[in-house]
Amino acid sequence: MRRKVYTKDQILKAAYDVISTEGFSKFTARNIAKKMGISTQPIYLEFKNMQDLKNTLVETVMKDLHENVFPKPHTGNELIDLGINYINFARENRNLYVSLYVDEYGGGELMHQFSYDYFKNLVKRDPAYSHLNENQIALLHESTWITVSGIASLMSSGIINPTEEEIIKLIERAIESTLDSKAVKAL
């Protein structure tokens, strides 16, 4: 009898399902295998260890965010669009968002760095912001990140439900007040 072969992609899909529904605290070989209805052996045949699987999974999610989620146009301003897309991701994928960006077991610093790099590249490409130096970009990111993350967290937990127009105005206000601040002008 021929044994069934489980691919890396099938294991990644099951791992994605686990963190999307239960978070990284349930990210174990046993839980992923259970999701697939298999033993843990195929997981360790495809991945060196659970950290390798986690890293591959986070890289896969980052690639999807980079290619399919963050670049969706809404307003014509890529910086505002990024904020809207981040918020929409959090609202539509609450458990995954919490797992990646909030949960202590998740992507944490790696996801923050990925989001910062994406933001920084947008700013450098946009003629409206391309004059900003590294410190100014960091301050702009910090203020918009706080605004967008706050909205995303509050919306994903059902506490607030602003319209897209209200979200746009909040992000615009964060950008404008940062660019007009003495701290940014002094740098």
Side-chain angles (χ1 to χ4, degrees):
M1 179 178 217
R2 190 168 177 215
R3 288 180 31 179
K4 184 168 181 178
V5 176
Y6 296 95
T7 67
K8 209 171 207 176
D9 288 339
Q10 290 170 319
I11 296 166
L12 280 170
K13 166 98 176 68
Y16 178 89
D17 290 346
V18 167
I19 67 160
S20 293
T21 57
E22 302 176 55
F24 273 110
S25 64
K26 302 292 184 184
F27 185 77
T28 65
R30 181 164 287 145
N31 286 339
I32 294 164
K34 181 179 176 186
K35 184 89 170 157
M36 296 178 71
I38 63 172
S39 74
T40 59
Q41 184 182 18
I43 295 169
Y44 291 110
L45 290 173
E46 290 296 329
F47 297 93
K48 289 182 262 185
N49 52 41
M50 288 305 292
Q51 188 62 48
D52 182 34
L53 173 55
K54 182 179 180 180
N55 292 345
T56 304
L57 179 62
V58 170
E59 287 170 15
T60 302
V61 171
M62 288 189 305
K63 182 177 188 244
D64 183 52
L65 289 171
H66 187 272
E67 294 175 358
N68 303 310
V69 177
F70 288 169
K72 288 181 186 171
H74 296 273
T75 66
N77 180 322
E78 289 183 296
L79 206 52
I80 293 171
D81 292 349
L82 172 60
I84 292 168
N85 292 327
Y86 178 86
I87 291 165
N88 288 341
F89 172 77
R91 190 181 67 231
E92 295 164 8
N93 305 281
R94 183 191 182 289
N95 290 336
L96 182 59
Y97 165 74
V98 169
S99 294
L100 292 170
Y101 283 98
V102 180
D103 192 1
E104 67 181 285
Y105 303 105
E109 187 59 37
L110 184 62
M111 292 306 296
H112 179 73
Q113 188 62 48
F114 160 74
S115 298
Y116 176 73
D117 291 342
Y118 191 95
F119 177 93
K120 186 170 143 180
N121 287 333
L122 281 184
V123 168
K124 287 184 171 192
R125 277 197 333 250
D126 191 321
Y129 310 110
S130 61
H131 66 282
L132 299 175
N133 66 38
E134 292 294 320
N135 291 332
Q136 291 168 324
I137 292 170
L139 282 174
L140 181 60
H141 177 260
E142 186 175 291
S143 68
T144 55
W145 182 261
I146 290 168
T147 300
V148 169
S149 293
I151 295 168
S153 294
L154 292 169
M155 285 185 77
S156 69
S157 59
I159 295 171
I160 65 170
N161 194 21
T163 65
E164 186 170 292
E165 185 177 305
E166 291 169 327
I167 293 169
I168 291 167
K169 289 192 184 314
L170 288 167
I171 298 169
E172 285 174 340
R173 204 171 314 143
I175 292 169
E176 289 167 9
S177 65
T178 302
L179 293 177
D180 290 343
S181 75
K182 291 178 183 175
V184 167
K185 290 179 179 179
L187 293 174

